[in-house]
Amino acid sequence: LSELFGWVLREAITNVVRHSHASHCTVLLAPRSIAVLDDGRGGTSGVGNGLVGLTERVTAMSGTVSAGPARPGWRLQVDVPGAADTAPDPAAANIAGAAQ
């Protein structure tokens, strides 16, 4: 999912920088989900092409996208339940093994 989540992160951060006027942005990453939250002015009416394209990519991986106002700001959440990475990251395995 690293490629998909990279795409999500690029799109979300681009929107934060271009549109939100946020002071802070937080990225939450889990094995099967990513969320980007900001404390900006929130979204506008209508959906831009970036979010449409992002939704198409996520749906192709059997995932879901939710985007909308948060208090404060805006939240973009992508979940891909049951998905598995096609090529596990050996560095991540080493980190997980070291934590045990």
Side-chain angles (χ1 to χ4, degrees), residues 10-86:
R10 281 187 300 275
E11 179 62 31
I13 297 302
T14 297
N15 287 343
V16 169
V17 170
R18 286 185 181 169
H19 307 297
S20 76
H21 301 281
S23 297
H24 297 90
C25 178
T26 302
V27 176
L28 305 171
L29 183 62
R32 294 184 169 91
S33 66
I34 184 170
V36 180
L37 303 90
D38 69 63
D39 65 353
R41 64 181 182 189
T44 61
S45 61
V47 175
N49 290 329
L51 193 54
V52 170
L54 182 63
T55 300
E56 290 171 355
R57 286 176 183 262
V58 172
T59 301
M61 298 287 292
S62 300
T64 60
V65 175
S66 60
R71 291 192 182 137
W74 188 261
R75 177 184 183 103
L76 173 68
Q77 173 85 35
V78 170
D79 296 291
V80 187
D85 289 334
T86 56

